[in-house]
Amino acid sequence: MDGTPDPIAARVLAALDAAGVTYEVVPCDPEFADTAAFCERYGVPLERSANTILVASRTEPKRYAACVVLASTRLDVNRTVRKRLGVRRCSFADAEETRALTGMEIGGVTVAGLPAGVPLWVDARVMEQPWVVVGGGSRSLKVKLVPAELLKLGAEVVEGLAMEPRSDLQG
């Protein structure tokens, strides 16, 4: 990366700055932007990587939420998210819908620069970490910050937003 972020990443960094968020920019090879690859390549523990996942209602009018969970957990989309959105059914927004709504690519979706009206919900476990790495708006940039900084972006801490991964799955 030449030090100049792409327009979406620049928008995200501007939103972080406007909110007074203290953060560190972490350049990332786009080939390693997906969580598991990023953590392995750059030596970041899964419990310090926080994924921002866009969730959408299945029916009109569409309702959205951006949910932040540790990479070591999984989003409880069928119970907690569905109930908080107040809808009968919801699911992860696909790459096309995510790009259309946020301008961000999967692997770069992040907590800042979200459209107005999209709530930002953060699993309580994220807040327990001394620091986390989140997306930077593009696949070539990540952002390292103290989780309390997310509150400056209007984040709401939600108990039970994520669950431990299932250990009963047989290989």
Side-chain angles (χ1 to χ4, degrees):
M1 198 162 106
D2 65 7
T4 306
D6 64 55
I8 299 300
R11 185 187 83 205
V12 166
L13 297 178
L16 290 168
D17 291 341
V21 172
T22 300
Y23 63 93
E24 177 184 330
V25 171
V26 180
C28 172
D29 180 332
E31 294 295 314
F32 295 94
D34 293 326
T35 303
F38 174 83
C39 289
E40 184 176 334
R41 171 77 178 247
Y42 297 103
V44 174
L46 283 176
E47 63 274 7
R48 295 285 171 81
S49 180
N51 293 326
T52 305
I53 302 165
L54 186 68
V55 178
S57 63
R58 299 283 285 272
T59 56
E60 299 293 337
K62 284 285 198 169
R63 299 195 60 193
Y64 296 94
C67 303
V68 182
V69 300
L70 296 174
S72 58
T73 63
R74 61 189 186 105
L75 182 63
D76 186 4
V77 71
N78 293 319
R79 285 188 300 242
T80 306
V81 176
R82 181 182 59 77
K83 288 177 185 170
R84 289 186 66 83
L85 270 179
V87 298
R88 289 191 56 208
R89 296 181 65 201
C90 63
S91 61
F92 302 115
D94 65 25
E96 186 176 306
E97 189 172 20
T98 297
R99 190 178 315 106
L101 185 69
T102 68
M104 300 176 207
E105 300 291 329
I106 300 293
V109 178
T110 194
V111 297
L114 295 167
V118 174
L120 178 61
W121 298 334
V122 179
D123 184 61
R125 289 178 203 139
V126 172
M127 304 306 286
E128 297 169 1
Q129 298 302 315
W131 56 268
V132 293
V133 174
V134 297
S138 83
R139 293 181 59 84
S140 62
L141 188 74
K142 301 285 185 183
V143 174
K144 181 179 176 181
L145 48 72
V146 173
E149 294 292 307
L150 297 171
L151 301 175
K152 294 177 181 177
L153 297 167
E156 182 181 349
V157 178
V158 178
E159 285 289 338
L161 187 62
M163 308 176 288
E164 293 298 319
R166 288 181 49 186
S167 60
D168 62 340
L169 298 178
Q170 300 295 317

